[in-house]
Amino acid sequence: MRSFVQVLTTPTADTPGTTLILHFDKKRYLIGSLGEGTQRACVQMGARLLKVSECFVTGRTEWSNVGGLLGMVLTLADSAASSQASALEEALFKAKAKAKREGWSEDYEKMRKMEDEIRNEVKANSVLNIFGPQNMNHMLATARRFIFRKGMPLNVHEVRGETHSKDTEEPWAPYWADDNIKVWAMSISPDSSTKSPSSSEGSSASPRKRSIEQVYEGEAVPDGTVANDLSPKERDMLTVKAVVSEMFDSTWRLDTLHETPLSSVRLPATIFVRNSDTNKVERYQGPLPGGPQPLPDPNRTVLVRRPWPGALIESLPYTEPAKQAISYIIRNHLQRGKFNKQRAVELKVEEGPKFRELSNGNSVLNKDGETITSDMVLGETRDGGGFAVVDLPDPSYIDNLINRPEWREAKVMAGVGAIIWICGQDVAQDLRVTQFMKEFVNLQHIVSSAEHCPNQISMDSSAASTVRLRKIDPVRFRTPVHDDAIPKVLSGTNVTMAARGQVVQLEPSFELQDKQIVPPLSIAEVEKEMSSDILGEAAKAHQAIEADQDQESLWAANIPDKEAEIITLGTGSALPSKYRNVSATLLRVPGWGSMLFDCGENTLGQLKRVFTPTELQQVLRELRLIFISHMHADHHLGTVGVIKAWYAEVHNSQPASTDSLLQSQLNDQRRLAVVSEPAMLQWLMEYAAVEDYGYSRLASLHISPHERNKRRPSKLGWFVPPTEFTGLTPQERMEKHARNSIPASHPILRLTDIQAVSVTHCHGARAVSISFPSGLKVSYSGDCRPSTAFAHIGRGSHVCIHEATFDDELLSDAKAKNHSTTSEALGVAQAMGAKACVLTHFSQRYQKLPVLEYRETEEEKAEEESLLAPAPTAGSATTAPPEAVRLKVSADMRVAVAFDYMRIKVGEIGQMEKFTPALLKLFAEEDKSEKTGNGVVGVEEGEKGSGKKKGKGKRGGGA
């Protein structure tokens, strides 16, 4: 049975960590960093995650190391749920067939018991296990308000303290094992702090924490929750684990109504009553608890929906950043010797199933009825192949790592052939590490470090697409920033640098294999492959731009800050793909600064590919505002990473003083404003307990929705944790909000106005319109169905950035999923009278490109008041490259379709339309090349269609 470990990522701009995949025929294991970009890198490498049920996270719980975990867990949970459903269906089919053969298929009780046993068995085999450093449960629990799955058990095992004992009956027993591997985990503390602050037993309970008993309020408490004899620290740990369990394996149902006394209802909530005459459920219309009118009957029984229990926990138990870094030694089980067929025949064993039993280590009876054991026909048993993964964040961890007793214990190290070193700055060249490598000269040492691995392009497909776009339009597209040169070379005959695609074969024999290493993307070769037809159309576009220069200058004459630049960092939807990352748009306004509209996972990596290091420093220094439209993970999981980079650049990672915090917020103009709904702001606050990423330097601002019918504009206010409103009357709540409100012109923001409206997508979703001091007005939709309220607050916008998730023929999908089509997005932009519209958030690689027909008559212009463009032509969805779709728009509106890494100035948006013919030819050629390409092989060896094409100008796939 072949098994091997392969390098999926090395440290680069958009894959900050090192990720490995351990490969067996029927199972995979993810090992190492799960930083932002890991999931997208797996897609790029063709690594299929369906067979992954264990992840071994190395290092510490900090965003650069686990920032991709939330998105990865969602994907793994969904994959496992699909696999679980298929396995259950197959198991039930076989069981029912067996029951029919044996004649008890009509026995209802026996059948029901059998089906329950099968469901429980399938569910037990579908658990996702994550092993890693302290605070991983806490990190996951902070996401309880926006992550929810049912029927996908998740177990997070935090490695703490000593993980082995030499005094037990089985000394040096592994920390964990399954049918394929044995794992020894090592928790390494730095020299300066051999005991993490979080390991203290004192002060572990938050005074605002709701107990787990309060959360479940009389219902059965799930397994694994607290007992009275546990220490405060243990109670807190189990409380957090219970929250994580509820996030992925809850029995909660949205449609279940619970009987509750009216006075006990917690608002906001929709309240129902049962009509005593009709016995039907109706909405309650009377006075509300805590309202100005007294309750006629406080004990009246009403019906309410309960939020799922995890979300009811207002705050999590106390924790502090944990310093321990986790490393692993992983080995295959003992390998049985080769089956000796001739010897089995001599022992009179019948050929067939008995040969297989002996090969599997079992005993059989021969023709004479004698017992033949496996050791009589198998060769000598040997140790299984293995490897170690060492994660050293900085040199203070070196001594405690190299002095671990595991390295010199044969019961642990037998069969280990390599150590993969994941190194922070100044670690790999430390004399102590090099001496350790010389001591263990019999092992291969593979080093993965930003100091020793080149900043190569890791998202090949997206980068190659951008390079082709640059050949068409070099003004708006540039080659992604990268460097193929190796920064520092390490010496040693048994030392090598880690490289993407590199394989360490464990079985049937140990071997370090370089043939699967993915070569750097050749920019020159990609450019050379561009056809003359495409380049000819591009030349025509440039000529058209030159010819229309006067007309476009006239169009842009009345736009303030026409040099303002829009950089579309992520233009995909829901999940990151090879070609489009998830949502993020950067706006740079001269004289004001920069802001981000949404900040999906790996936005920082996208910024590092768009800007050189010097340019990125400037972008971070001028960053003033991040607006998060809603709490879907694809719109905000990159926020912490960007804040942490800003914190390091602007404040040298030094926290603000905690004295008079509110007053310092009012006076400190170097704060970064994050504007969103309270749930987002509370998530940022709670995660700050795990890691100092810069929360103390933020201006966390919530924004109320504009209500046109009440003539009530949006208001900004400092975020106040929900626990501080507990027990307050509605009047006291209003007064507290009023005391914490700030104007848009506040020195931190320096805006003329900011208005937001609630839109139809999910709870708390907002669209926003922002007016800058220069007069520039930009509106952003987030995710939503077409909104008249958004069109109202966006009146007079110079740019409308609007989602266009679906092509027009998929209108029913757009309605079902609360998104917009291309025509609907343009209709909203026209209704607000926008000068330009940038379309983004696409559900497919090839978005249909609009060919615009401009309205000239007054009657046609009147159609702009409608939010919907003319009805789209009927058709069906297709994955083929799109043809142009003709749409009627205002004579004064320009439209651009966004691509990742696109940089476009507001005054030049109209130029993008000229490139439509060239883009259509480019898309057609790319699609044809992918469909007819040879040798498409990804990480899954021999499986076509999942990786990069090998050949001229392309990067080869993995093993």
Side-chain angles (χ1 to χ4, degrees):
M1 176 179 66
R2 187 180 182 224
S3 64
F4 60 90
V5 61
Q6 185 170 36
V7 178
L8 290 180
T9 69
T10 58
T12 67
D14 41 19
T15 54
T18 302
T19 308
L20 316 170
I21 187 166
L22 177 57
H23 186 292
F24 287 83
D25 289 342
K26 296 182 179 181
K27 198 167 184 181
R28 312 287 187 269
Y29 306 82
L30 282 177
I31 305 165
S33 168
L34 289 181
E36 292 185 64
T38 303
Q39 185 178 353
R40 193 179 183 205
C42 289
V43 174
Q44 178 64 61
M45 288 288 288
R48 305 174 83 186
L49 303 179
L50 185 62
K51 297 180 182 179
V52 172
S53 57
E54 276 79 32
C55 298
F56 296 90
V57 181
T58 61
R60 302 178 297 205
T61 300
E62 53 191 11
W63 199 258
S64 59
N65 194 46
V66 297
L69 178 61
L70 293 170
M72 179 68 77
V73 167
L74 286 174
T75 298
L76 292 176
D78 291 343
S79 298
S82 176
S83 177
Q84 178 181 336
S86 299
L88 178 61
E89 182 180 1
E90 182 179 356
L92 288 174
F93 177 80
K94 291 180 178 179
K96 289 176 181 178
K98 178 182 178 181
K100 190 172 183 179
R101 288 195 307 270
E102 295 178 358
W104 50 274
S105 60
E106 300 299 322
D107 187 332
Y108 173 77
E109 286 299 324
K110 191 172 182 180
M111 288 292 293
R112 186 181 62 81
K113 183 178 179 182
M114 177 267 296
E115 290 179 2
D116 289 342
E117 290 175 351
I118 290 175
R119 286 189 173 89
N120 291 334
E121 182 180 355
V122 169
K123 184 176 181 179
N125 293 330
S126 301
V127 176
L128 176 60
N129 290 297
I130 299 177
F131 301 84
Q134 295 180 41
N135 278 337
M136 284 193 63
N137 277 292
H138 197 102
M139 188 274 285
L140 286 166
T142 63
R144 64 194 179 278
R145 289 179 176 83
F146 60 89
I147 288 183
F148 176 80
R149 291 292 187 273
K150 296 179 68 174
M152 181 59 242
L154 174 68
N155 286 333
V156 180
H157 309 268
E158 296 184 6
V159 180
R160 295 168 175 262
E162 287 298 321
T163 57
H164 70 274
S165 174
K166 291 174 283 188
D167 301 326
T168 60
E169 293 182 3
E170 186 182 356
W172 295 105
Y175 176 76
W176 182 85
D178 68 358
D179 292 339
N180 294 319
I181 59 175
K182 296 183 287 185
V183 179
W184 287 263
M186 298 180 288
S187 178
I188 311 298
S189 297
D191 290 338
S192 58
S193 176
T194 56
K195 187 174 183 181
S196 168
S198 64
S199 65
S200 171
E201 290 291 337
S203 302
S204 61
S206 168
R208 294 175 183 164
K209 175 176 66 70
R210 300 180 70 234
S211 72
I212 199 70
E213 293 90 345
Q214 289 175 311
V215 170
Y216 289 93
E217 293 182 348
E219 298 178 9
V221 179
D223 292 339
T225 49
V226 296
N228 292 329
D229 58 347
L230 296 178
S231 69
K233 181 181 175 182
E234 291 170 328
R235 282 180 64 91
D236 288 347
M237 181 64 184
L238 289 179
T239 298
V240 173
K241 286 182 71 70
V243 173
V244 174
S245 175
E246 281 291 330
M247 290 168 63
F248 293 92
D249 191 25
S250 177
T251 58
W252 173 85
R253 289 172 58 99
L254 175 64
D255 56 359
T256 301
L257 293 173
H258 298 267
E259 293 186 348
T260 306
L262 179 58
S263 59
S264 300
V265 173
R266 299 182 62 185
L267 299 178
T270 304
I271 305 174
F272 299 90
V273 293
R274 188 174 297 280
N275 188 307
S276 57
D277 296 328
T278 64
N279 205 36
K280 292 183 178 180
V281 174
E282 301 173 349
R283 184 171 295 217
Y284 172 75
Q285 303 292 340
L288 298 176
Q293 301 177 14
L295 299 178
D297 181 6
N299 295 320
R300 181 182 180 182
T301 299
V302 296
L303 303 171
V304 294
R305 294 188 180 97
R306 290 182 184 172
W308 72 280
L312 288 174
I313 295 183
E314 293 172 349
S315 61
L316 295 175
Y318 173 84
T319 193
E320 288 182 348
K323 297 183 180 297
Q324 290 82 0
I326 307 303
S327 299
Y328 302 97
I329 299 171
I330 302 174
R331 276 177 40 196
N332 286 2
H333 288 284
L334 291 174
Q335 302 295 300
R336 288 187 293 270
K338 186 176 181 181
F339 178 71
N340 189 330
K341 180 179 178 181
Q342 182 178 351
R343 178 62 179 155
V345 172
E346 292 173 356
L347 292 171
K348 300 181 182 180
V349 177
E350 295 175 331
E351 187 170 356
K354 292 186 177 182
F355 276 23
R356 183 168 60 252
E357 288 293 317
L358 287 169
S359 298
N360 290 333
N362 300 318
S363 300
V364 299
L365 297 176
N366 66 3
K367 296 177 182 178
D368 297 335
E370 299 170 329
T371 299
I372 306 298
T373 60
S374 60
D375 60 290
M376 299 168 67
V377 295
L378 296 179
E380 184 178 355
T381 299
R382 61 177 178 82
D383 293 310
F387 64 101
V389 184
V390 167
D391 195 314
L392 299 174
D394 62 59
S396 68
Y397 290 82
I398 294 175
D399 282 339
N400 289 334
L401 182 281
I402 63 178
N403 292 326
R404 292 285 298 200
E406 287 90 342
W407 301 120
R408 294 161 184 85
E409 175 53 57
K411 291 183 176 65
V412 177
M413 292 295 290
V416 172
I419 299 178
I420 299 172
W421 297 79
I422 302 174
C423 298
Q425 187 173 356
D426 299 327
V427 170
Q429 288 185 304
D430 189 284
L431 182 61
R432 293 168 292 178
V433 172
T434 56
Q435 288 178 340
F436 182 89
M437 292 178 177
K438 289 177 182 178
E439 178 185 352
F440 290 89
V441 69
N442 60 311
L443 304 180
Q444 286 291 328
H445 297 273
I446 303 166
V447 177
S448 185
S449 162
E451 292 181 304
H452 305 285
C453 297
N455 182 25
Q456 294 179 343
I457 287 172
S458 51
M459 308 302 174
D460 313 69
S461 300
S462 178
S465 179
T466 303
V467 169
R468 297 184 190 102
L469 290 169
R470 174 182 168 275
K471 287 291 289 183
I472 293 174
D473 182 7
V475 175
R476 279 152 283 275
F477 298 95
R478 305 173 191 181
T479 301
V481 175
H482 67 287
D483 188 354
D484 293 335
I486 298 176
K488 297 179 183 178
V489 178
L490 291 172
S491 60
T493 57
N494 62 333
V495 180
T496 184
M497 305 316 139
R500 196 162 53 116
Q502 189 176 38
V503 167
V504 178
Q505 180 177 280
L506 306 177
E507 301 296 345
S509 61
F510 182 87
E511 183 181 355
L512 183 61
Q513 299 176 346
D514 292 340
K515 63 182 179 180
Q516 292 92 350
I517 289 179
V518 183
L521 179 70
S522 173
I523 303 300
E525 291 295 335
V526 173
E527 292 178 336
K528 191 184 298 183
E529 292 174 353
M530 295 281 288
S531 73
S532 57
D533 287 347
I534 296 174
L535 297 178
E537 291 293 347
K540 293 178 184 177
H542 288 291
Q543 292 170 3
I545 290 172
E546 188 69 26
D548 291 348
Q549 189 171 6
D550 292 342
Q551 181 179 349
E552 289 303 302
S553 296
L554 184 63
W555 169 80
N558 295 325
I559 298 179
D561 282 331
K562 60 179 67 67
E563 293 297 308
E565 189 178 27
I566 297 170
I567 301 97
T568 50
L569 300 167
T571 59
S573 65
L575 295 172
S577 71
K578 289 196 296 183
Y579 298 98
R580 295 185 185 272
N581 200 42
V582 288
S583 296
T585 301
L586 179 71
L587 174 65
R588 303 184 73 186
V589 181
W592 179 81
S594 298
M595 71 164 295
L596 278 165
F597 292 107
D598 280 331
C599 196
E601 182 182 327
N602 213 21
T603 293
L604 180 61
Q606 298 289 91
L607 285 166
K608 289 181 177 180
R609 291 302 188 194
V610 171
F611 298 104
T612 65
T614 302
E615 290 174 329
L616 182 57
Q617 285 181 329
Q618 182 59 36
V619 169
L620 291 173
R621 285 186 171 276
E622 69 183 22
L623 186 63
R624 304 182 68 91
L625 169 63
I626 300 175
F627 172 78
I628 303 299
S629 63
H630 62 289
M631 287 298 287
H632 282 169
D634 59 313
H635 286 255
H636 70 78
L637 282 185
T639 309
V640 169
V642 171
I643 293 172
K644 190 174 180 180
W646 168 85
Y647 181 48
E649 180 61 37
V650 176
H651 295 284
N652 195 30
S653 299
Q654 296 301 308
S657 170
T658 56
D659 297 333
S660 303
L661 184 58
L662 183 57
Q663 187 61 39
S664 68
Q665 286 177 328
L666 292 172
N667 295 331
D668 188 353
Q669 297 181 32
R670 293 199 306 160
R671 289 186 175 272
L672 174 60
V674 179
V675 178
S676 188
E677 62 167 306
M680 174 69 191
L681 304 175
Q682 180 152 2
W683 174 61
L684 292 175
M685 180 189 71
E686 289 186 341
Y687 181 72
V690 175
E691 175 187 9
D692 176 21
Y693 67 92
Y695 180 77
S696 66
R697 296 288 188 176
L698 298 182
S700 296
L701 304 174
H702 69 84
I703 186 167
S704 64
H706 175 99
E707 296 178 87
R708 184 182 182 185
N709 59 336
K710 297 181 180 179
R711 298 183 179 180
R712 183 182 298 165
S714 294
K715 289 185 179 181
L716 287 168
W718 296 107
F719 166 66
V720 180
T723 51
E724 295 193 15
F725 291 101
T726 302
L728 299 184
T729 66
Q731 181 62 33
E732 291 172 332
R733 287 170 175 257
M734 291 177 61
E735 292 173 356
K736 192 174 186 68
H737 278 303
R739 289 194 300 270
N740 286 282
S741 65
I742 69 167
S745 59
H746 189 280
I748 291 176
L749 297 171
R750 287 183 48 230
L751 295 172
T752 302
D753 192 21
I754 177 170
Q755 294 294 314
V757 293
S758 298
V759 289
T760 302
H761 181 65
C762 67
H763 176 75
R766 302 278 192 270
V768 70
S769 186
I770 299 178
S771 299
F772 297 90
S774 64
L776 179 69
K777 186 172 183 178
V778 178
S779 297
Y780 174 68
S781 70
D783 285 2
C784 63
R785 290 291 298 145
S787 168
T788 54
F790 179 42
H792 173 72
I793 66 168
R795 284 284 187 183
S797 292
H798 299 99
V799 182
C800 172
I801 304 169
H802 205 292
E803 71 118 295
T805 306
F806 293 101
D807 284 331
D808 287 354
E809 63 264 26
L810 299 177
L811 176 61
S812 58
D813 287 0
K815 290 180 177 180
K817 298 180 180 180
N818 286 332
H819 283 292
S820 298
T821 66
T822 303
S823 290
E824 289 174 329
L826 292 176
V828 173
Q830 292 174 93
M832 65 175 60
K835 293 281 287 182
C837 180
V838 176
L839 300 173
T840 187
H841 197 270
F842 305 120
S843 60
Q844 55 194 23
R845 177 185 176 188
Y846 296 114
Q847 182 64 18
K848 290 193 174 180
L849 301 176
V851 173
L852 306 178
E853 297 178 355
Y854 292 107
R855 300 177 178 134
E856 298 295 343
T857 69
E858 291 300 321
E859 294 171 348
E860 287 177 319
K861 289 180 181 179
E863 295 180 25
E864 295 172 22
E865 297 302 320
S866 171
L867 286 181
L868 293 178
T873 304
S876 59
T878 175
T879 57
E883 296 182 357
V885 56
R886 297 188 176 277
L887 299 167
K888 288 186 177 182
V889 297
S890 163
D892 196 40
M893 191 172 82
R894 303 293 186 264
V895 178
V897 172
F899 300 87
D900 281 19
Y901 306 139
M902 184 180 81
R903 303 177 62 170
I904 187 168
K905 292 182 178 179
V906 171
E908 297 176 355
I909 290 177
Q911 296 181 9
M912 283 291 292
E913 300 169 25
K914 305 294 193 297
F915 293 99
T916 296
L919 292 174
L920 289 171
K921 283 186 177 293
L922 172 65
F923 295 163
E925 286 200 6
E926 284 183 339
D927 186 68
K928 181 179 178 182
S929 177
E930 286 208 348
K931 288 180 177 177
T932 60
N934 296 317
V936 184
V937 181
V939 170
E940 305 301 319
E941 185 175 17
E943 296 179 358
K944 294 192 173 183
S946 57
K948 288 292 295 178
K949 300 171 190 172
K950 293 181 179 178
K952 191 174 181 181
K954 307 289 173 115
R955 303 188 70 161

